[in-house]
Amino acid sequence: MAIQKGDFIKLNYTGRFEDGRIFDTTDEELAKKEEIFNPRGLYGGDVVIVGAGHTIEGLDEDLEGKEAGYSSTITIPPEKAFGPSDSKLIETVSITKFQDRNVHPGLPVELDGRRGVVSRVIGRRVTVDFNSPLAGKTVSYEYTIEKLLEDNVEKIQGLLALYTGMRDMEVEIVDGVAKINVPTGLTFNQRWLMAKNRVASELFKYAGFKEIQIIEKLTAEAEVPVPAEPEAEAGAEAEAETEAEAEAEVKEETSESQE
């Protein structure tokens, strides 16, 4: 069956720069080998909704019309990857802005709550690039469509994992109503607070549910570990306190989540 927009699929992938360096992968062993392993990341494949913006545009478009089991390698220009580099985000500031004045090209820095990388130092003037590290890059993705999901519980759990970083959350469907049992403590997790309305919206739109119940489940057992709050990241994949930027974060989970 050909994959269409709105389908839930399980996707494995590896992203590379033009020089062959790997910047992202769903393969845990490869991530460790390439020294990009993130202990907070989820490996083994992401569940994404085709056409929902869960991954970069060029990859998303290439998924349509394919079938489960299909593998390919595609090259994606910046315009359909992580966007072009914006010259307005390259700024020159005084070296006095830095507590440690031993700055040099390639040094990651944070100024006024924004993360960037030093690109040039001339005398007491420092040029900082606040673009995403992936902006302006042509990238390639080697990917495999592992599975087309049909089971609604799998769809919900996969979508929850994409947004929360937690696999196999307790889900049941009763008379067409999806009941999501939220682990102890997740209720106050910033990542979840930003994502839960979007999760519900996408389940309404793509899975056909008319009602979703989000249930905070408290037990006398040991508290369920909650994923750490993600740190703010530079560029288009910064996590901020708006739902629009939460969407950008999801794209990152699919494209740079293992960063």
Side-chain angles (χ1 to χ4, degrees), residues 30-133:
L30 182 59
K32 291 177 178 178
K33 179 181 177 182
E34 296 294 322
E35 299 183 346
I36 59 171
F37 175 73
N38 181 354
R40 295 187 303 173
L42 291 182
Y43 294 89
D46 290 340
V47 171
V48 301
I49 303 173
V50 178
H54 288 167
T55 185
I56 59 175
E57 183 180 357
L59 178 56
D60 206 1
E61 290 177 348
D62 204 61
L63 299 172
E64 291 184 59
K66 309 306 190 299
E67 296 185 354
Y70 177 83
S71 296
S72 183
T73 299
I74 60 171
T75 299
I76 306 172
E79 293 74 20
K80 291 197 173 184
F82 300 94
S85 180
D86 186 350
S87 60
K88 294 179 181 178
L89 295 178
I90 301 175
E91 301 177 11
T92 299
V93 299
S94 170
I95 200 170
T96 59
K97 285 271 191 178
F98 304 90
Q99 288 185 344
D100 181 359
R101 300 186 183 182
N102 185 28
V103 296
H104 56 82
L107 178 70
V109 295
E110 182 171 341
L111 289 176
D112 302 324
R114 296 185 299 162
R115 292 186 176 185
V117 176
V118 174
S119 59
R120 185 171 61 177
V121 180
I122 299 179
R124 297 175 58 82
R125 306 296 290 172
V126 180
T127 300
V128 182
D129 188 346
F130 291 103
N131 282 285
S132 163

Side-chain angles (χ1 to χ4, degrees), residues 1 10 39 56 68 197 219 230 234 240 245:
M1 181 185 299
K10 184 176 181 180
I56 59 175
N197 286 337
T219 70
E245 287 173 322

Side-chain angles (χ1 to χ4, degrees), residues 160-172:
L160 289 168
L162 186 69
Y163 278 99
T164 69
M166 298 181 69
R167 291 196 193 277
D168 302 323
M169 287 177 61
E170 187 178 344
V171 174
E172 59 179 336

Side-chain angles (χ1 to χ4, degrees), residues 2 14-16 31 33 58 74 80 89 98 111 122 128 149 158 161 188 194 215 225 232 246 249 252-253:
T14 295
R16 290 180 170 85
K33 179 181 177 182
I74 60 171
K80 291 197 173 184
L89 295 178
F98 304 90
L111 289 176
I122 299 179
V128 182
L149 275 63
F188 302 104
M194 290 190 296
I215 304 164
E249 179 197 351
E252 174 181 6
E253 293 287 349

Side-chain angles (χ1 to χ4, degrees), residues 138-206:
T138 294
V139 298
S140 67
Y141 273 85
E142 178 183 355
Y143 74 86
T144 298
I145 302 171
E146 298 289 349
K147 184 179 181 181
L148 174 63
L149 275 63
E150 301 287 354
D151 180 76
N152 279 334
V153 170
E154 277 191 282
K155 291 179 181 180
I156 296 170
Q157 288 179 328
L159 196 60
L160 289 168
L162 186 69
Y163 278 99
T164 69
M166 298 181 69
R167 291 196 193 277
D168 302 323
M169 287 177 61
E170 187 178 344
V171 174
E172 59 179 336
I173 300 173
V174 180
D175 297 328
V177 177
K179 299 184 178 183
I180 301 171
N181 291 289
V182 180
T184 303
L186 187 59
T187 303
F188 302 104
N189 180 269
Q190 186 67 22
R191 185 173 181 177
W192 170 245
L193 292 175
M194 290 190 296
K196 65 179 180 179
N197 286 337
R198 184 160 183 81
V199 169
S201 176
E202 291 183 350
L203 290 174
F204 292 144
K205 181 176 181 180
Y206 298 108

